[in-house]
Amino acid sequence: MDYILIKMILLLSFYWLIIYLFNSVMRKWLNVEKKKWFSYNHLNEKHKKLDWMIRITFLLLLLISFFYNVTQDPFDRIWYLETHILLFVFIIASETVRAVMEKRYADNRNDYKFTISQLAFIALSILLFYTTNFFGLLN
């Protein structure tokens, strides 16, 4: 059990390092400022309202899907109501709205390009790691 936990921590650390390196390179290439961690970074009130609508909607979806799937047989659960799928969709929806708002309202015209490249990289890497079981390292 401890070996699996250590393996997971190492894999997640490696993944975060890859994301950090990708973001650093893209930030320099596109000349984009680094944003604060764990900050909403809303561009304006419209973006703030849209972001909170998405967050509340997904929170409600998570609660509804949790209660629905808990009452089902483990083999009868609806796959698109699983937590990891909903979180993946939440990230895509939230970052897509951010990219659109950055394209329309940001001072730096490359902000939306950075957001799109970051979203594409994270989405593709998560799909790759999930479908390959982290390249067979999680058995």
Side-chain angles (χ1 to χ4, degrees):
M1 184 67 172
D2 293 329
Y3 175 71
I4 294 172
L5 182 61
I6 292 170
K7 196 184 221 185
M8 285 293 294
I9 290 171
L10 287 173
L11 290 173
L12 288 174
S13 300
F14 177 70
Y15 182 61
W16 282 113
L17 177 66
I18 290 172
I19 290 174
Y20 175 78
L21 292 173
F22 176 81
N23 287 342
S24 297
V25 168
M26 290 302 293
R27 212 177 287 112
K28 286 182 183 178
W29 187 45
L30 293 171
N31 197 22
V32 174
E33 289 183 22
K34 187 175 182 178
K35 294 179 177 99
K36 294 179 186 177
W37 276 63
F38 300 110
S39 177
Y40 295 119
N41 296 319
H42 295 118
L43 294 168
N44 54 27
E45 281 300 311
K46 185 176 184 180
H47 182 211
K48 186 176 182 178
K49 287 178 185 176
L50 285 171
D51 187 52
W52 278 105
M53 284 174 38
I54 291 169
R55 290 172 189 270
I56 291 169
T57 301
F58 275 95
L59 180 63
L60 291 173
L61 273 173
L62 279 172
L63 290 171
I64 292 167
S65 67
F66 171 76
F67 288 116
Y68 178 79
N69 278 336
V70 164
T71 61
Q72 299 299 312
D73 185 45
F75 297 108
D76 291 336
R77 291 183 174 177
I78 299 175
W79 67 271
Y80 54 84
L81 291 180
E82 293 289 335
T83 304
H84 58 281
I85 302 295
L86 288 176
L87 287 174
F88 188 70
V89 172
F90 166 72
I91 290 169
I92 291 173
S94 179
E95 291 302 304
T96 301
V97 167
R98 170 177 295 289
V100 168
M101 297 305 280
E102 286 174 344
K103 181 160 176 58
R104 290 184 182 170
Y105 302 109
D107 295 331
N108 185 349
R109 300 302 292 168
N110 287 333
D111 280 347
Y112 82 95
K113 294 175 186 175
F114 175 72
T115 301
I116 290 171
S117 67
Q118 186 180 34
L119 175 61
F121 180 77
I122 290 173
L124 290 174
S125 63
I126 287 174
L127 281 173
L128 181 68
F129 292 147
Y130 183 74
T131 57
T132 63
N133 207 11
F134 229 106
F135 298 111
L137 295 173
L138 295 178
N139 291 328

